[in-house]
Short mmCIF file of all heavy atoms in Angstrom, two decimals:
data_model
loop_
_atom_site.label_atom_id
_atom_site.label_comp_id
_atom_site.label_asym_id
_atom_site.label_seq_id
_atom_site.Cartn_x
_atom_site.Cartn_y
_atom_site.Cartn_z
N ALA F 17 16.32 5.43 -67.02
CA ALA F 17 16.77 4.68 -65.87
C ALA F 17 18.29 4.56 -65.94
O ALA F 17 18.89 4.66 -67.01
CB ALA F 17 16.13 3.30 -65.86
N ALA F 18 18.88 4.31 -64.78
CA ALA F 18 20.33 4.16 -64.70
C ALA F 18 20.67 3.19 -63.58
O ALA F 18 19.90 3.04 -62.62
CB ALA F 18 21.00 5.50 -64.46
N SER F 19 21.82 2.56 -63.71
CA SER F 19 22.32 1.68 -62.65
C SER F 19 23.82 1.89 -62.51
O SER F 19 24.49 2.29 -63.45
CB SER F 19 22.00 0.21 -62.97
OG SER F 19 22.62 -0.20 -64.17
N GLY F 20 24.31 1.62 -61.31
CA GLY F 20 25.73 1.74 -61.03
C GLY F 20 26.30 0.39 -60.64
O GLY F 20 25.56 -0.50 -60.21
N SER F 21 27.61 0.25 -60.75
CA SER F 21 28.22 -1.04 -60.45
C SER F 21 29.39 -0.90 -59.47
O SER F 21 29.82 0.21 -59.17
CB SER F 21 28.71 -1.70 -61.74
OG SER F 21 29.77 -0.95 -62.27
N GLU F 22 29.89 -2.02 -59.04
CA GLU F 22 31.01 -2.04 -58.09
C GLU F 22 32.30 -1.50 -58.69
O GLU F 22 33.16 -1.03 -57.97
CB GLU F 22 31.23 -3.45 -57.56
CG GLU F 22 30.14 -3.90 -56.61
CD GLU F 22 30.42 -5.27 -56.02
OE1 GLU F 22 31.49 -5.84 -56.28
OE2 GLU F 22 29.55 -5.75 -55.29
N ASP F 23 32.45 -1.59 -60.02
CA ASP F 23 33.66 -1.07 -60.65
C ASP F 23 33.55 0.41 -60.99
O ASP F 23 34.45 0.99 -61.59
CB ASP F 23 34.04 -1.88 -61.89
CG ASP F 23 33.10 -1.66 -63.07
OD1 ASP F 23 32.08 -0.95 -62.94
OD2 ASP F 23 33.39 -2.22 -64.14
N GLY F 24 32.44 1.05 -60.60
CA GLY F 24 32.26 2.47 -60.83
C GLY F 24 31.58 2.81 -62.14
O GLY F 24 31.34 3.98 -62.43
N SER F 25 31.26 1.81 -62.95
CA SER F 25 30.57 2.07 -64.22
C SER F 25 29.12 2.49 -63.96
O SER F 25 28.50 2.05 -62.99
CB SER F 25 30.55 0.81 -65.09
OG SER F 25 31.85 0.42 -65.42
N ILE F 26 28.61 3.32 -64.85
CA ILE F 26 27.21 3.72 -64.80
C ILE F 26 26.59 3.37 -66.15
O ILE F 26 27.16 3.69 -67.20
CB ILE F 26 27.05 5.22 -64.50
CG1 ILE F 26 27.62 5.51 -63.10
CG2 ILE F 26 25.60 5.66 -64.60
CD1 ILE F 26 27.70 6.96 -62.74
N ILE F 27 25.47 2.70 -66.09
CA ILE F 27 24.78 2.28 -67.30
C ILE F 27 23.45 3.01 -67.38
O ILE F 27 22.66 2.98 -66.44
CB ILE F 27 24.54 0.76 -67.32
CG1 ILE F 27 25.87 0.02 -67.18
CG2 ILE F 27 23.81 0.34 -68.60
CD1 ILE F 27 25.73 -1.47 -66.96
N PHE F 28 23.23 3.69 -68.49
CA PHE F 28 21.95 4.34 -68.76
C PHE F 28 21.13 3.39 -69.63
O PHE F 28 21.64 2.85 -70.62
CB PHE F 28 22.16 5.68 -69.48
CG PHE F 28 22.85 6.70 -68.61
CD1 PHE F 28 24.22 6.87 -68.66
CD2 PHE F 28 22.12 7.47 -67.74
CE1 PHE F 28 24.86 7.79 -67.86
CE2 PHE F 28 22.74 8.41 -66.92
CZ PHE F 28 24.11 8.57 -66.98
N TRP F 29 19.88 3.18 -69.26
CA TRP F 29 19.03 2.18 -69.91
C TRP F 29 17.91 2.82 -70.71
O TRP F 29 17.29 3.78 -70.26
CB TRP F 29 18.43 1.26 -68.85
CG TRP F 29 19.44 0.47 -68.11
CD1 TRP F 29 20.01 0.79 -66.91
CD2 TRP F 29 20.05 -0.74 -68.52
NE1 TRP F 29 20.93 -0.15 -66.55
CE2 TRP F 29 20.97 -1.12 -67.52
CE3 TRP F 29 19.89 -1.56 -69.64
CZ2 TRP F 29 21.73 -2.27 -67.61
CZ3 TRP F 29 20.65 -2.71 -69.72
CH2 TRP F 29 21.56 -3.06 -68.71
N ASN F 30 17.66 2.26 -71.88
CA ASN F 30 16.49 2.60 -72.69
C ASN F 30 15.44 1.55 -72.35
O ASN F 30 15.55 0.39 -72.75
CB ASN F 30 16.83 2.57 -74.18
CG ASN F 30 15.66 2.94 -75.05
OD1 ASN F 30 14.52 2.60 -74.76
ND2 ASN F 30 15.94 3.63 -76.14
N LEU F 31 14.44 1.95 -71.58
CA LEU F 31 13.46 1.00 -71.10
C LEU F 31 12.54 0.49 -72.20
O LEU F 31 12.06 -0.64 -72.13
CB LEU F 31 12.65 1.61 -69.95
CG LEU F 31 13.47 1.98 -68.71
CD1 LEU F 31 12.57 2.58 -67.64
CD2 LEU F 31 14.23 0.79 -68.17
N GLN F 32 12.32 1.30 -73.21
CA GLN F 32 11.47 0.85 -74.31
C GLN F 32 12.16 -0.25 -75.12
O GLN F 32 11.52 -1.21 -75.54
CB GLN F 32 11.10 2.02 -75.22
CG GLN F 32 10.19 3.01 -74.53
CD GLN F 32 9.90 4.23 -75.39
OE1 GLN F 32 10.63 4.53 -76.33
NE2 GLN F 32 8.84 4.93 -75.06
N LYS F 33 13.45 -0.10 -75.35
CA LYS F 33 14.20 -1.10 -76.11
C LYS F 33 14.76 -2.22 -75.23
O LYS F 33 15.29 -3.20 -75.73
CB LYS F 33 15.36 -0.44 -76.86
CG LYS F 33 14.90 0.51 -77.94
CD LYS F 33 16.10 1.10 -78.67
CE LYS F 33 15.66 2.05 -79.77
NZ LYS F 33 16.81 2.62 -80.46
N LYS F 34 14.68 -2.02 -73.90
CA LYS F 34 15.20 -2.98 -72.93
C LYS F 34 16.68 -3.26 -73.16
O LYS F 34 17.14 -4.41 -73.14
CB LYS F 34 14.39 -4.27 -72.96
CG LYS F 34 12.95 -4.08 -72.59
CD LYS F 34 12.18 -5.36 -72.65
CE LYS F 34 10.71 -5.07 -72.34
NZ LYS F 34 9.89 -6.27 -72.51
N SER F 35 17.43 -2.17 -73.38
CA SER F 35 18.87 -2.31 -73.61
C SER F 35 19.60 -1.07 -73.09
O SER F 35 18.99 -0.03 -72.84
CB SER F 35 19.16 -2.49 -75.10
OG SER F 35 18.76 -1.35 -75.82
N ALA F 36 20.91 -1.22 -72.96
CA ALA F 36 21.74 -0.09 -72.52
C ALA F 36 21.84 0.94 -73.64
O ALA F 36 22.08 0.59 -74.79
CB ALA F 36 23.12 -0.58 -72.14
N SER F 37 21.63 2.20 -73.30
CA SER F 37 21.77 3.27 -74.28
C SER F 37 23.14 3.94 -74.19
O SER F 37 23.61 4.51 -75.15
CB SER F 37 20.66 4.30 -74.12
OG SER F 37 20.68 4.86 -72.82
N LEU F 38 23.77 3.86 -73.00
CA LEU F 38 25.09 4.46 -72.80
C LEU F 38 25.74 3.78 -71.61
O LEU F 38 25.10 3.59 -70.58
CB LEU F 38 24.96 5.97 -72.54
CG LEU F 38 26.23 6.75 -72.24
CD1 LEU F 38 27.17 6.76 -73.44
CD2 LEU F 38 25.90 8.17 -71.81
N ILE F 39 27.01 3.43 -71.75
CA ILE F 39 27.78 2.87 -70.64
C ILE F 39 28.96 3.80 -70.39
O ILE F 39 29.78 4.04 -71.28
CB ILE F 39 28.27 1.45 -70.95
CG1 ILE F 39 27.07 0.53 -71.20
CG2 ILE F 39 29.14 0.93 -69.81
CD1 ILE F 39 27.45 -0.86 -71.67
N VAL F 40 29.03 4.34 -69.18
CA VAL F 40 30.14 5.21 -68.78
C VAL F 40 31.10 4.35 -67.97
O VAL F 40 30.73 3.86 -66.89
CB VAL F 40 29.63 6.40 -67.95
CG1 VAL F 40 30.78 7.30 -67.54
CG2 VAL F 40 28.58 7.20 -68.72
N PRO F 41 32.32 4.12 -68.47
CA PRO F 41 33.28 3.27 -67.76
C PRO F 41 33.59 3.81 -66.37
O PRO F 41 33.61 5.02 -66.14
CB PRO F 41 34.53 3.31 -68.64
CG PRO F 41 34.07 3.80 -69.96
CD PRO F 41 32.87 4.65 -69.71
N GLY F 42 33.85 2.89 -65.45
CA GLY F 42 34.12 3.27 -64.07
C GLY F 42 35.56 3.60 -63.81
O GLY F 42 36.45 3.30 -64.60
N GLY F 43 35.76 4.22 -62.66
CA GLY F 43 37.10 4.60 -62.24
C GLY F 43 37.64 3.74 -61.12
O GLY F 43 38.67 4.05 -60.54
N GLY F 44 36.92 2.67 -60.76
CA GLY F 44 37.44 1.78 -59.74
C GLY F 44 36.65 1.75 -58.46
O GLY F 44 36.61 0.74 -57.79
N ASP F 45 36.03 2.86 -58.05
CA ASP F 45 35.27 2.88 -56.80
C ASP F 45 33.80 2.58 -57.07
O ASP F 45 33.23 3.02 -58.06
CB ASP F 45 35.40 4.23 -56.10
CG ASP F 45 36.75 4.37 -55.41
OD1 ASP F 45 37.02 3.53 -54.53
OD2 ASP F 45 37.50 5.29 -55.75
N SER F 46 33.18 1.85 -56.17
CA SER F 46 31.78 1.45 -56.31
C SER F 46 30.84 2.65 -56.35
O SER F 46 31.06 3.64 -55.65
CB SER F 46 31.36 0.57 -55.13
OG SER F 46 32.10 -0.61 -55.10
N VAL F 47 29.80 2.51 -57.14
CA VAL F 47 28.71 3.50 -57.15
C VAL F 47 27.78 3.14 -56.00
O VAL F 47 27.29 2.01 -55.93
CB VAL F 47 27.95 3.49 -58.49
CG1 VAL F 47 26.79 4.47 -58.45
CG2 VAL F 47 28.88 3.80 -59.65
N CYS F 48 27.55 4.08 -55.09
CA CYS F 48 26.71 3.84 -53.92
C CYS F 48 25.28 4.32 -54.12
O CYS F 48 24.36 3.76 -53.54
CB CYS F 48 27.30 4.53 -52.70
SG CYS F 48 28.92 3.91 -52.25
N ALA F 49 25.10 5.38 -54.92
CA ALA F 49 23.76 5.94 -55.12
C ALA F 49 23.74 6.75 -56.41
O ALA F 49 24.75 7.32 -56.82
CB ALA F 49 23.39 6.84 -53.95
N LEU F 50 22.56 6.81 -57.02
CA LEU F 50 22.32 7.60 -58.23
C LEU F 50 21.04 8.41 -58.03
O LEU F 50 20.08 7.90 -57.45
CB LEU F 50 22.17 6.71 -59.46
CG LEU F 50 23.36 5.88 -59.89
CD1 LEU F 50 22.94 4.90 -60.98
CD2 LEU F 50 24.47 6.78 -60.40
N GLN F 51 21.03 9.64 -58.53
CA GLN F 51 19.83 10.47 -58.46
C GLN F 51 19.79 11.38 -59.68
O GLN F 51 20.73 12.13 -59.93
CB GLN F 51 19.84 11.34 -57.19
CG GLN F 51 18.65 12.26 -57.06
CD GLN F 51 17.34 11.51 -56.88
OE1 GLN F 51 17.25 10.62 -56.05
NE2 GLN F 51 16.34 11.85 -57.66
N PHE F 52 18.71 11.29 -60.44
CA PHE F 52 18.54 12.19 -61.58
C PHE F 52 18.20 13.60 -61.10
O PHE F 52 17.50 13.76 -60.10
CB PHE F 52 17.41 11.70 -62.49
CG PHE F 52 17.80 10.54 -63.36
CD1 PHE F 52 17.53 9.25 -62.99
CD2 PHE F 52 18.46 10.76 -64.57
CE1 PHE F 52 17.89 8.17 -63.78
CE2 PHE F 52 18.83 9.69 -65.38
CZ PHE F 52 18.54 8.40 -64.99
N ALA F 53 18.71 14.60 -61.80
CA ALA F 53 18.34 16.00 -61.54
C ALA F 53 16.86 16.16 -61.90
O ALA F 53 16.34 15.42 -62.74
CB ALA F 53 19.21 16.94 -62.38
N PRO F 54 16.18 17.12 -61.30
CA PRO F 54 14.75 17.32 -61.58
C PRO F 54 14.42 17.50 -63.07
O PRO F 54 13.37 17.03 -63.52
CB PRO F 54 14.39 18.57 -60.78
CG PRO F 54 15.37 18.58 -59.65
CD PRO F 54 16.64 18.03 -60.25
N ASN F 55 15.31 18.12 -63.82
CA ASN F 55 15.03 18.34 -65.25
C ASN F 55 15.38 17.12 -66.11
O ASN F 55 15.10 17.10 -67.31
CB ASN F 55 15.74 19.58 -65.77
CG ASN F 55 17.25 19.46 -65.75
OD1 ASN F 55 17.81 18.40 -65.50
ND2 ASN F 55 17.92 20.57 -66.02
N GLY F 56 16.03 16.11 -65.53
CA GLY F 56 16.36 14.88 -66.24
C GLY F 56 17.57 14.97 -67.15
O GLY F 56 17.94 13.98 -67.78
N ASP F 57 18.22 16.13 -67.21
CA ASP F 57 19.36 16.31 -68.11
C ASP F 57 20.67 15.79 -67.54
O ASP F 57 21.62 15.55 -68.27
CB ASP F 57 19.54 17.79 -68.46
CG ASP F 57 18.45 18.31 -69.37
OD1 ASP F 57 17.77 17.49 -70.02
OD2 ASP F 57 18.29 19.54 -69.44
N SER F 58 20.73 15.63 -66.22
CA SER F 58 21.96 15.16 -65.60
C SER F 58 21.62 14.19 -64.47
O SER F 58 20.47 14.08 -64.05
CB SER F 58 22.82 16.32 -65.09
OG SER F 58 22.16 17.03 -64.07
N ILE F 59 22.65 13.49 -64.03
CA ILE F 59 22.50 12.54 -62.94
C ILE F 59 23.64 12.77 -61.96
O ILE F 59 24.74 13.17 -62.35
CB ILE F 59 22.50 11.09 -63.47
CG1 ILE F 59 22.05 10.11 -62.38
CG2 ILE F 59 23.84 10.71 -64.07
CD1 ILE F 59 21.75 8.72 -62.90
N PHE F 60 23.37 12.58 -60.68
CA PHE F 60 24.38 12.67 -59.65
C PHE F 60 24.72 11.26 -59.20
O PHE F 60 23.83 10.46 -58.94
CB PHE F 60 23.87 13.50 -58.46
CG PHE F 60 23.66 14.94 -58.80
CD1 PHE F 60 22.45 15.37 -59.32
CD2 PHE F 60 24.67 15.86 -58.62
CE1 PHE F 60 22.25 16.71 -59.65
CE2 PHE F 60 24.48 17.20 -58.94
CZ PHE F 60 23.27 17.62 -59.46
N ALA F 61 26.00 10.96 -59.13
CA ALA F 61 26.47 9.64 -58.71
C ALA F 61 27.38 9.79 -57.50
O ALA F 61 28.33 10.57 -57.54
CB ALA F 61 27.23 8.97 -59.85
N ALA F 62 27.05 9.06 -56.44
CA ALA F 62 27.88 9.04 -55.23
C ALA F 62 28.73 7.78 -55.27
O ALA F 62 28.23 6.68 -55.52
CB ALA F 62 27.01 9.06 -53.99
N PHE F 63 30.02 7.95 -55.04
CA PHE F 63 30.98 6.84 -55.09
C PHE F 63 31.51 6.52 -53.70
O PHE F 63 31.51 7.38 -52.81
CB PHE F 63 32.14 7.19 -56.03
CG PHE F 63 31.72 7.31 -57.47
CD1 PHE F 63 31.23 8.51 -57.96
CD2 PHE F 63 31.80 6.22 -58.32
CE1 PHE F 63 30.82 8.63 -59.29
CE2 PHE F 63 31.40 6.33 -59.65
CZ PHE F 63 30.91 7.53 -60.12
N ALA F 64 31.99 5.29 -53.53
CA ALA F 64 32.47 4.82 -52.24
C ALA F 64 33.64 5.62 -51.69
O ALA F 64 33.87 5.63 -50.48
CB ALA F 64 32.85 3.34 -52.33
N ASP F 65 34.37 6.31 -52.55
CA ASP F 65 35.52 7.10 -52.07
C ASP F 65 35.12 8.48 -51.57
O ASP F 65 35.96 9.29 -51.21
CB ASP F 65 36.58 7.23 -53.16
CG ASP F 65 36.12 8.04 -54.37
OD1 ASP F 65 34.93 8.43 -54.44
OD2 ASP F 65 36.95 8.28 -55.26
N GLY F 66 33.80 8.77 -51.52
CA GLY F 66 33.33 10.05 -51.03
C GLY F 66 33.17 11.10 -52.11
O GLY F 66 32.90 12.26 -51.83
N THR F 67 33.33 10.72 -53.36
CA THR F 67 33.20 11.64 -54.49
C THR F 67 31.75 11.66 -54.98
O THR F 67 31.10 10.62 -55.04
CB THR F 67 34.11 11.20 -55.65
OG1 THR F 67 35.46 11.17 -55.19
CG2 THR F 67 34.03 12.15 -56.83
N LEU F 68 31.28 12.84 -55.34
CA LEU F 68 29.97 13.01 -55.97
C LEU F 68 30.21 13.63 -57.34
O LEU F 68 30.88 14.65 -57.45
CB LEU F 68 29.09 13.94 -55.13
CG LEU F 68 27.69 14.22 -55.66
CD1 LEU F 68 26.83 12.97 -55.61
CD2 LEU F 68 27.05 15.34 -54.87
N LYS F 69 29.70 12.96 -58.39
CA LYS F 69 29.88 13.47 -59.75
C LYS F 69 28.52 13.78 -60.36
O LYS F 69 27.59 12.98 -60.21
CB LYS F 69 30.60 12.45 -60.63
CG LYS F 69 32.03 12.20 -60.22
CD LYS F 69 32.70 11.20 -61.14
CE LYS F 69 34.12 10.90 -60.67
NZ LYS F 69 34.77 9.91 -61.54
N GLN F 70 28.45 14.91 -61.04
CA GLN F 70 27.28 15.24 -61.84
C GLN F 70 27.66 14.97 -63.29
O GLN F 70 28.68 15.45 -63.78
CB GLN F 70 26.89 16.71 -61.67
CG GLN F 70 25.66 17.08 -62.46
CD GLN F 70 25.30 18.55 -62.32
OE1 GLN F 70 26.07 19.36 -61.80
NE2 GLN F 70 24.13 18.90 -62.80
N MET F 71 26.82 14.18 -63.98
CA MET F 71 27.11 13.80 -65.37
C MET F 71 25.93 14.08 -66.27
O MET F 71 24.77 13.99 -65.85
CB MET F 71 27.43 12.31 -65.43
CG MET F 71 28.74 11.96 -64.80
SD MET F 71 29.02 10.20 -64.85
CE MET F 71 28.50 9.78 -63.23
N ALA F 72 26.23 14.42 -67.52
CA ALA F 72 25.20 14.62 -68.53
C ALA F 72 24.62 13.27 -68.92
O ALA F 72 25.36 12.33 -69.20
CB ALA F 72 25.78 15.32 -69.76
N VAL F 73 23.30 13.16 -68.93
CA VAL F 73 22.64 11.89 -69.24
C VAL F 73 22.87 11.48 -70.69
O VAL F 73 23.10 10.31 -70.98
CB VAL F 73 21.13 12.00 -68.93
CG1 VAL F 73 20.37 10.81 -69.47
CG2 VAL F 73 20.91 12.14 -67.43
N GLN F 74 22.85 12.41 -71.62
CA GLN F 74 22.98 12.07 -73.04
C GLN F 74 24.38 11.62 -73.44
O GLN F 74 24.53 10.78 -74.32
CB GLN F 74 22.56 13.27 -73.91
CG GLN F 74 21.10 13.64 -73.79
CD GLN F 74 20.18 12.52 -74.26
OE1 GLN F 74 20.42 11.90 -75.28
NE2 GLN F 74 19.15 12.25 -73.50
N THR F 75 25.41 12.15 -72.77
CA THR F 75 26.78 11.88 -73.20
C THR F 75 27.65 11.18 -72.16
O THR F 75 28.68 10.62 -72.49
CB THR F 75 27.49 13.19 -73.57
OG1 THR F 75 27.58 14.00 -72.38
CG2 THR F 75 26.75 13.94 -74.66
N GLY F 76 27.25 11.24 -70.89
CA GLY F 76 28.07 10.70 -69.82
C GLY F 76 29.20 11.62 -69.41
O GLY F 76 29.99 11.29 -68.52
N GLN F 77 29.28 12.80 -70.01
CA GLN F 77 30.33 13.77 -69.68
C GLN F 77 30.19 14.22 -68.23
O GLN F 77 29.10 14.55 -67.77
CB GLN F 77 30.25 14.97 -70.60
CG GLN F 77 31.25 16.06 -70.27
CD GLN F 77 31.08 17.32 -71.12
OE1 GLN F 77 30.18 17.40 -71.93
NE2 GLN F 77 31.94 18.27 -70.91
N VAL F 78 31.31 14.24 -67.52
CA VAL F 78 31.33 14.73 -66.14
C VAL F 78 31.23 16.24 -66.18
O VAL F 78 32.06 16.92 -66.78
CB VAL F 78 32.59 14.26 -65.39
CG1 VAL F 78 32.64 14.86 -64.00
CG2 VAL F 78 32.65 12.74 -65.32
N LEU F 79 30.21 16.77 -65.52
CA LEU F 79 29.99 18.21 -65.48
C LEU F 79 30.59 18.86 -64.24
O LEU F 79 31.01 20.01 -64.28
CB LEU F 79 28.48 18.50 -65.51
CG LEU F 79 27.70 17.89 -66.68
CD1 LEU F 79 26.21 18.09 -66.48
CD2 LEU F 79 28.18 18.50 -67.99
N ARG F 80 30.61 18.09 -63.15
CA ARG F 80 31.11 18.64 -61.88
C ARG F 80 31.55 17.49 -60.99
O ARG F 80 30.92 16.42 -60.99
CB ARG F 80 29.98 19.42 -61.22
CG ARG F 80 30.38 20.20 -60.03
CD ARG F 80 29.30 21.03 -59.41
NE ARG F 80 28.04 21.07 -60.16
CZ ARG F 80 27.00 21.77 -59.78
NH1 ARG F 80 27.06 22.51 -58.70
NH2 ARG F 80 25.88 21.76 -60.48
N VAL F 81 32.59 17.69 -60.22
CA VAL F 81 33.07 16.70 -59.24
C VAL F 81 33.18 17.39 -57.90
O VAL F 81 33.79 18.46 -57.78
CB VAL F 81 34.45 16.13 -59.64
CG1 VAL F 81 34.94 15.15 -58.59
CG2 VAL F 81 34.39 15.46 -61.01
N LEU F 82 32.60 16.77 -56.89
CA LEU F 82 32.67 17.30 -55.53
C LEU F 82 33.25 16.23 -54.62
O LEU F 82 32.86 15.05 -54.69
CB LEU F 82 31.27 17.69 -55.02
CG LEU F 82 30.52 18.73 -55.83
CD1 LEU F 82 29.07 18.78 -55.40
CD2 LEU F 82 31.17 20.08 -55.66
N GLU F 83 34.16 16.61 -53.76
CA GLU F 83 34.69 15.71 -52.73
C GLU F 83 33.84 15.96 -51.50
O GLU F 83 33.95 17.00 -50.87
CB GLU F 83 36.17 16.01 -52.45
CG GLU F 83 37.07 15.87 -53.66
CD GLU F 83 37.15 14.43 -54.18
OE1 GLU F 83 37.02 13.49 -53.37
OE2 GLU F 83 37.32 14.26 -55.39
N VAL F 84 32.98 14.99 -51.16
CA VAL F 84 32.00 15.24 -50.11
C VAL F 84 32.28 14.54 -48.80
O VAL F 84 31.61 14.78 -47.82
CB VAL F 84 30.58 14.86 -50.59
CG1 VAL F 84 30.14 15.78 -51.71
CG2 VAL F 84 30.49 13.43 -51.03
N GLY F 85 33.24 13.66 -48.75
CA GLY F 85 33.51 13.01 -47.49
C GLY F 85 34.51 11.89 -47.62
O GLY F 85 35.14 11.70 -48.65
N SER F 86 34.59 11.12 -46.55
CA SER F 86 35.55 10.01 -46.52
C SER F 86 34.93 8.77 -47.16
O SER F 86 33.75 8.72 -47.46
CB SER F 86 35.96 9.73 -45.09
OG SER F 86 34.82 9.38 -44.33
N ARG F 87 35.77 7.77 -47.28
CA ARG F 87 35.33 6.51 -47.90
C ARG F 87 34.15 5.93 -47.15
O ARG F 87 34.09 5.95 -45.94
CB ARG F 87 36.47 5.49 -47.91
CG ARG F 87 37.61 5.93 -48.80
CD ARG F 87 38.62 4.82 -48.94
NE ARG F 87 38.08 3.67 -49.63
CZ ARG F 87 37.99 3.56 -50.98
NH1 ARG F 87 38.38 4.54 -51.74
NH2 ARG F 87 37.52 2.47 -51.53
N MET F 88 33.22 5.34 -47.91
CA MET F 88 32.04 4.71 -47.32
C MET F 88 32.30 3.24 -47.12
O MET F 88 33.00 2.62 -47.80
CB MET F 88 30.84 4.88 -48.24
CG MET F 88 30.43 6.31 -48.36
SD MET F 88 29.01 6.38 -49.46
CE MET F 88 28.93 8.12 -49.76
#
């Protein structure tokens, strides 16, 4: 599971331990939506500034950045 915040942080959760397994610091713009890739290895995060980032679930490393539109 994952959640996003207004400061742009993304938190990956370990549901069995009921705790955060990884916190990826934000860049300032709110996270508007999150979607895991079908294989579960990465997650797509949509930000209020129109940016879409693909990140590795295990490390939080940004794999790809797309500018998809204007501010939401």
Side-chain angles (χ1 to χ4, degrees):
S19 61
S21 67
E22 289 184 4
D23 71 355
S25 297
I26 297 173
I27 303 171
F28 293 94
W29 297 95
N30 181 323
L31 298 180
Q32 293 176 340
K33 294 182 180 179
K34 298 179 183 175
S35 63
S37 58
L38 177 65
I39 299 173
V40 180
D45 283 301
S46 297
V47 177
C48 297
L50 296 170
Q51 178 66 49
F52 283 95
N55 65 9
D57 289 341
S58 63
I59 192 168
F60 293 87
F63 293 86
D65 66 354
T67 302
L68 180 68
K69 294 181 183 179
Q70 181 182 11
M71 290 178 262
V73 170
Q74 295 297 316
T75 64
Q77 176 185 2
V78 176
L79 305 172
R80 189 177 354 181
V81 178
L82 301 168
E83 300 295 329
V84 295
S86 60
R87 294 188 65 82
M88 293 181 193

